[in-house]
Amino acid sequence: MTYFLGLPGTIVALAAAALAAAQGAAAATCTVSTVAGFSSCSGSSSVLIKGPFTVPAETVATLSVASGGKATVTGTVTFAKSTSLTSSDYLFTLKGSGVTFDGTSGVFNGNGASYWDGEGSNGGVNKPKMFKVSTSGNSVIKGIKLLNTPIQAFSISGSNNLIESVTLDNSAGTSLGHNTDAFDVSASNIIIKNSYVYNQDDCLAVNSGSNITFSGNYCSGGHGISIGSIASDKTVDGVYVSGCTIVDSQNGVRIKTVYDATGGYVKNVQYSSITLSGITKYGIVIEQDYENGSPTGTPTSGIPISAVTLSGITGTMASGYKYSTYILCAACSDFTFSGIDITTKKASCTGISPTPSGC
């Protein structure tokens, strides 16, 4: 009897071991330790990007994580200087639905100093963008540090994403870095929170999309937290900015539409509990005359701006600033300002009626 009872037990144990081995194999982590690994690990549900290693010049990396999977970054991945890659290229692209990208222990180094020439994407040497977010399905990108990006850092084209606790450190580009936007958003249902930005352009630039939340972020050295510039046929509906700090920047909060653009709109915008310090041009700026490099001074009405609420915008301007509040509108309506306390007050507001508090 002992023999016959033991045999089925042995079979069950062997079956269980085989099942566990199969499950372990299915969940085995695919490791990226060279640029070739991005391709070979695409489609895996568990990916480890393990630095240090270098992505060669003239090469971009794309990782597609299996639905619901996870990619983890440890160490530093450095992207070598390229000469042929342009602003249409991205050094790294992340794809997948419902994925988690955890870069808490990782750094992507874009080698920006070898590109920076003061011209950004407007001229000079060719410069690629850094990190394209093409994920969807409530994906999460967290923790990664982007260091010295050639131009724009995160370009967010996929909708339904959470980006949290990331860092952009382009502080070394103070004199020559240009167009180093931290978060360029052309998507919907985006949350960006609890992140740190040191750059030379917009901390946030919403170019189109809806239901975008930007909260608890720190922005230093750039052009402020911006909607726009909004070009023809682009729409923005629902941007919620709260609890952010903006220091040593050209602007605080900004909405800008392109001169002579038509067919779009900006509406349902809220900025609340924003602290400013050392702002060199405008604490609050809303303008409908934007042109890259130099506004025209003449607003146009083709991209109306409506339902804008600013509350609790406080702080200080730097010496030599232009205006604490500057509004130049041709088609602006339903503005509500409260708790605006930017010292020293100096305002210019035209084209908006009734004139909001703070003007």
Side-chain angles (χ1 to χ4, degrees), residues 12-217:
V12 169
L14 290 172
L19 178 60
Q23 290 173 335
T29 296
C30 185
T31 300
V32 179
S33 56
T34 67
V35 67
F38 288 108
S39 177
S40 61
C41 287
S42 282
S44 298
S45 60
S46 178
V47 178
L48 173 62
I49 303 170
K50 187 176 182 180
F53 67 89
T54 297
V55 176
E58 321 310 328
T59 304
V60 298
T62 299
L63 178 66
S64 182
V65 181
S67 180
K70 181 177 182 179
T72 302
V73 186
T74 62
T76 299
V77 179
T78 300
F79 293 80
K81 165 72 184 309
S82 294
T83 58
S84 63
L85 299 180
T86 71
S87 59
S88 297
D89 298 304
Y90 300 86
L91 293 177
F92 179 74
T93 299
L94 180 66
K95 299 180 178 180
S97 177
V99 304
T100 297
F101 181 89
D102 186 352
T104 303
S105 299
V107 176
F108 280 1
N109 185 345
N111 218 349
S114 63
Y115 295 94
W116 294 331
D117 55 11
E119 304 222 22
S121 54
N122 298 318
V125 303
N126 288 331
K127 305 173 190 73
K129 296 174 183 176
M130 187 73 197
F131 191 131
K132 184 176 184 180
V133 179
S134 292
T135 51
S136 61
N138 299 315
S139 292
V140 176
I141 297 166
K142 63 181 180 180
I144 189 70
K145 178 179 181 179
L146 301 189
L147 178 65
N148 297 339
T149 69
I151 43 176
Q152 285 86 348
F154 291 96
S155 299
I156 304 166
S157 59
S159 293
N160 302 300
N161 288 298
L162 166 64
I163 299 174
E164 64 176 330
S165 303
V166 302
T167 298
L168 168 62
D169 185 358
N170 278 4
S171 54
T174 299
S175 60
L176 292 175
H178 193 63
N179 297 131
T180 53
D181 303 38
F183 304 98
D184 278 350
V185 179
S186 298
S188 295
N189 302 321
I190 302 296
I191 298 173
I192 302 167
K193 67 179 185 177
N194 301 335
S195 296
Y196 288 84
V197 171
Y198 306 86
N199 71 336
Q200 297 79 39
D201 211 295
D202 292 325
C203 188
L204 170 71
V206 176
N207 299 306
S208 65
S210 61
N211 194 27
I212 297 158
T213 297
F214 193 77
S215 65
N217 301 299

Side-chain angles (χ1 to χ4, degrees), residues 275-316:
T275 301
L276 311 179
S277 176
I279 305 302
T280 60
K281 291 180 70 175
Y282 305 111
I284 297 167
V285 53
I286 300 171
E287 57 184 329
Q288 294 186 303
D289 67 333
Y290 187 79
E291 281 190 338
N292 193 23
S294 178
T296 67
T298 303
T300 56
S301 60
I303 308 288
I305 303 172
S306 64
V308 175
T309 300
L310 272 63
S311 62
I313 314 297
T314 64
T316 60

